[in-house]
Amino acid sequence: MDRSEQGLLRTPTVPEEGEDVAATLSATETLSEEEQEELRRELAKVEEEIQTLSQVLAAKEKHLAEIKRKLGISSLQELKQNIAKGWQDVTATSAYKKTSETLSQAGQKASAALSSVGSVITRKLEDVKLQAFSHSFRNSPTFKSFEEKVENLKASTKSKVGGTKPAGGDFGEVLNSTANASVTATEPPTEQTQENL
């Protein structure tokens, strides 16, 4: 490769910030006049191509805008289409699908857990309400009056029937003894009783 071809392959270095401009100038001095002239022609040609391409691009963009205007495509519609396309591309990725599945499973588990906790809380509240109702019912004047009447009935029944149980007992015993006393009181006299007469 001769020296003129090497000059075409070399890229001229542009000084960076803080670099010594004199070092760049010394590189230019090492090129021969012919190499410098060749690079100037190439530079002019590249600049001309860039300008031509810029003009062609501007003309294409103008033509594109005219077509969109005729079709009634606005910038907002174009933006919506771009967003929809972008979202479609995102949802098609495997990472999105895995994340979506994971979040869905987590949501289902959280929902089941909250439902379970809600059921437990509901049951506890029902128990508390039932206990509160029972307590308030037992302390109500109506229940106390009923309880007194049952105790009086029990005492009077025992004195009539001659029960062997002590005067206390629970509410169920009171009701049973009252029921037995009323059955006994309404039964017709047996044969032994009639014989005694």
Side-chain angles (χ1 to χ4, degrees):
M1 203 185 270
D2 69 1
R3 189 173 169 137
S4 64
E5 289 176 353
Q6 286 179 349
L8 293 176
L9 294 178
R10 271 191 259 150
T11 50
T13 56
V14 179
E16 301 257 342
E17 266 185 70
E19 228 182 74
D20 190 18
V21 179
T24 307
L25 290 176
S26 67
T28 318
E29 293 173 1
T30 59
L31 296 174
S32 67
E33 284 293 323
E34 291 174 7
E35 290 173 337
Q36 288 182 9
E37 188 59 38
E38 181 66 31
L39 287 175
R40 286 188 187 109
R41 281 192 299 267
E42 188 177 346
L43 178 63
K45 182 180 176 185
V46 170
E47 287 176 342
E48 186 179 320
E49 287 175 354
I50 290 173
Q51 187 177 8
T52 304
L53 289 173
S54 295
Q55 291 170 352
V56 169
L57 181 62
K60 292 285 184 185
E61 287 176 341
K62 185 178 178 183
H63 184 65
L64 176 69
E66 184 65 26
I67 291 171
K68 286 182 179 180
R69 186 187 61 77
K70 287 180 181 178
L71 288 174
I73 299 173
S74 68
S75 297
L76 182 59
Q77 289 172 328
E78 196 173 345
L79 179 63
K80 285 180 185 178
Q81 289 173 351
N82 288 342
I83 290 173
K85 173 86 169 88
W87 181 248
Q88 186 178 14
D89 292 345
V90 166
T91 57
T93 63
S94 62
Y96 175 83
K97 289 178 183 176
K98 286 180 184 177
T99 303
S100 177
E101 289 172 9
T102 303
L103 290 176
S104 176
Q105 291 172 355
Q108 290 171 352
K109 288 179 182 177
S111 176
L114 289 176
S115 176
S116 174
V117 167
S119 297
V120 169
I121 289 172
T122 301
R123 274 187 260 131
K124 290 292 183 186
L125 287 176
E126 288 173 353
D127 290 347
V128 168
K129 283 171 51 177
L130 184 60
Q131 288 174 354
F133 174 75
S134 173
H135 180 70
S136 66
F137 179 72
R138 286 184 182 265
N139 290 334
S140 71
T142 305
F143 183 76
K144 288 191 183 254
S145 171
F146 176 72
E147 194 174 35
E148 286 174 9
K149 287 179 183 177
V150 169
E151 287 294 325
N152 291 339
L153 181 62
K154 179 181 172 187
S156 70
T157 305
K158 279 195 178 193
S159 65
K160 288 180 186 175
V161 176
T164 58
K165 288 190 178 180
D170 68 357
F171 185 69
E173 290 174 350
V174 170
L175 287 178
N176 284 337
S177 66
T178 305
N180 289 336
S182 64
V183 168
T184 307
T186 58
E187 284 182 357
T190 61
E191 291 178 20
Q192 285 181 343
T193 316
Q194 289 175 351
E195 289 176 8
N196 291 337
L197 292 174

